[in-house]
Amino acid sequence: MADKVYQGQDQTRRRRFLKWAGVSAFVFLAGCETVVPRGAEPPPVATPTPPPVTSGLPDDQKHHRIALLVPLSGKNAGVGQSLANATTMALLDTQAANIRMTSYDTAKGVTAAAQSAIRDGNKLIIGPLLSDNVVATANIARPAGVPILSFSNDTGAAGNNVYILGHIPAQSITRVVDYAKSKGVNRFAALVPNGVYGQRASSTLLRRVKDVGGTVVSIQTFNRDSKSIEAATKKLADNGDFEAVLLADNGDMAIKAAPYIRKNASATARILGTDLWNTSSNLAGAPSIRGAWFASVSDSLYKQYADKYRARYGRAPFRLSSLGYDSVLLTVKVARNWKVGSPFPINQLTDPGGFIGLDGVFRFKADGVSERALEVQEIRSGSFAVIDPAPKGF
């Protein structure tokens, strides 16, 4: 368990910032020019050793206590540490003098971490990362009336004081289908992996294409191996031609599957992707995927943040770390009207106007799921181009 408390020296400046929290925090990015390559991840680092957990924190009447639950050891330590580093940067950048953040290592037991967080008097939990950890944490936090801002994208874990910050794949599918329809595409197909993700992608595609008046010609599932992918693509066109095909998997699988689509199913259909493609640094160099469209959060602010992160920590951040930064921006904004020691004002999380962060504009719906403004990008020769910018508000 480790505490992070940051004291501002100029109270006037702090009050001015808090008035505009959620927007002015990005001023620090203006001077950055170097762009970190898409999808860059930190090299392997030694597993950090968290400070010892104490039996409780001393009484503090000056700071809002917030718990950060992330894996700081074990196989996910790199992602967890990147999220923790991002929250530190956000606290420093916002000069949040009234917030005390304490880190708890979920890799050593999420139940124990959540119990310690509640026992220590934290009024808000940021994290955890994994969906099953969210459920375990909620079982402890709900009886205590402590809300959760999770980094998960599992909508099944949302609701009843649990809010999901993660990027929801269904939203990116909806966005790219809408854009394709606006460009005259009416007949869709899909190639989806076996499993829960593929099932959800299929359901979203069917529902949205129906809503916009299009037709789904074929949906084929595959295992993540070449033989299965080839067999699935041969079945894609069994029910007729299609104008666009959703390839609902990560960037590496898209590169692997695209040549089979071109060879066995359609040489001309537009390939569509999801927000999972946003973390792939290899897509721009793959000829078979050139011309594909996918929807994701905007990268414009993230690239500048990643440059500053690398300068501070000597390595590139994980793409997911932007959620850590944005969770602090949101908290700082809410903290303007939050009395120290009182319950977190959870009603302010569902502000219909939303919040702005590194990943653009977002807001929480009543069910605890985050709704994000997404852009559509096209893969070109060695680059990505924004062909339909994200809305600037709701």
Side-chain angles (χ1 to χ4, degrees):
M1 180 175 67
D3 282 353
K4 292 180 280 189
V5 181
Y6 299 91
Q7 301 286 355
Q9 297 179 347
D10 188 330
Q11 295 301 315
T12 300
R13 181 173 57 185
R14 176 170 64 84
R15 286 192 294 269
R16 188 181 303 118
F17 167 77
L18 291 175
K19 182 178 180 181
W20 299 105
V23 178
S24 60
F26 292 109
V27 172
F28 84 94
L29 295 166
C32 300
E33 297 179 356
T34 304
V35 175
V36 176
R38 177 185 298 261
E41 295 185 350
V45 295
T47 301
T49 302
V53 177
T54 62
S55 59
L57 295 177
D59 187 48
D60 187 345
Q61 301 299 321
K62 297 182 179 180
H63 302 95
H64 297 295
R65 287 184 174 165
I66 298 172
L68 176 66
L69 270 62
V70 289
L72 295 173
S73 58
K75 64 180 181 179
N76 292 316
V79 180
Q81 190 60 58
S82 194
L83 284 162
N85 290 344
T87 63
T88 296
M89 285 179 59
L91 287 168
L92 291 170
D93 291 334
T94 59
Q95 301 178 33
N98 61 344
I99 291 176
R100 177 192 293 273
M101 183 171 288
T102 307
S103 299
Y104 300 83
D105 186 4
T106 57
K108 292 189 173 183
V110 65
T111 298
Q115 290 173 337
S116 293
I118 299 302
R119 184 174 62 247
D120 289 343
N122 292 284
K123 302 300 183 182
L124 173 68
I125 291 176
I126 295 178
L129 174 63
L130 305 177
S131 60
D132 56 345
N133 284 352
V134 177
V135 174
T137 301
N139 289 337
I140 296 167
R142 281 187 183 123
V146 175
I148 297 170
L149 293 178
S150 171
F151 301 126
S152 171
N153 65 357
D154 183 1
T155 57
N160 195 11
N161 276 17
V162 176
Y163 295 81
I164 302 298
L165 277 165
H167 304 160
I168 311 302
Q171 294 178 16
S172 66
I173 294 173
T174 296
R175 177 75 164 94
V176 77
V177 166
D178 287 357
Y179 180 77
K181 187 66 170 63
S182 74
K183 296 302 179 182
V185 175
N186 291 293
R187 294 174 62 81
F188 294 80
L191 196 64
V192 304
N194 283 308
V196 174
Y197 180 88
Q199 293 169 4
R200 291 179 177 175
S202 298
S203 297
T204 300
L205 179 71
L206 287 167
R207 182 172 57 252
R208 194 58 185 177
V209 170
K210 180 181 179 181
D211 288 346
V212 299
T215 301
V216 176
V217 173
S218 177
I219 296 179
Q220 300 298 326
T221 61
F222 64 92
N223 297 320
R224 289 182 170 90
D225 62 81
S226 297
K227 185 176 180 181
S228 180
I229 292 171
E230 183 174 20
T233 56
K234 287 180 178 179
K235 297 178 182 178
L236 271 179
D238 285 352
N239 296 322
D241 294 336
F242 50 87
E243 299 159 296
V245 53
L246 175 69
L247 213 172
D249 211 320
N250 60 45
D252 290 340
M253 289 306 302
I255 293 171
K256 190 173 184 178
Y260 290 110
I261 292 175
R262 294 301 182 216
K263 176 183 176 182
N264 300 321
S266 174
T268 58
R270 182 78 63 173
I271 296 177
L272 309 178
T274 75
D275 62 324
L276 293 179
W277 291 14
N278 195 41
T279 61
S280 175
S281 58
N282 301 319
L283 281 170
S288 62
I289 208 77
R290 201 161 294 160
W293 296 337
F294 70 98
S296 73
V297 295
S298 174
D299 273 339
S300 58
L301 289 173
Y302 175 81
K303 291 174 180 177
Q304 299 173 63
Y305 150 81
D307 187 61
K308 185 172 182 180
Y309 183 106
R310 172 172 284 180
R312 181 177 182 86
Y313 294 107
R315 60 180 68 90
F318 281 85
R319 182 62 181 84
L320 190 68
S321 69
S322 60
L323 300 180
Y325 195 99
D326 286 355
S327 68
V328 172
L329 290 188
L330 184 157
T331 303
V332 168
K333 182 176 181 180
V334 172
R336 291 182 302 176
N337 302 310
W338 180 17
K339 182 180 179 181
V340 173
S342 65
F344 183 83
I346 196 169
N347 61 305
Q348 294 189 34
L349 290 180
T350 52
D351 182 343
F355 306 89
I356 186 169
L358 291 177
D359 290 333
V361 178
F362 69 99
R363 64 182 175 184
F364 290 109
K365 297 184 289 185
D367 60 3
V369 175
S370 60
E371 179 184 4
R372 295 184 176 274
L374 305 179
E375 67 184 18
V376 178
Q377 298 186 48
E378 181 177 275
I379 299 174
R380 297 180 178 173
S381 180
S383 66
F384 298 80
V386 177
I387 55 176
D388 195 32
K392 296 186 180 300
F394 295 103

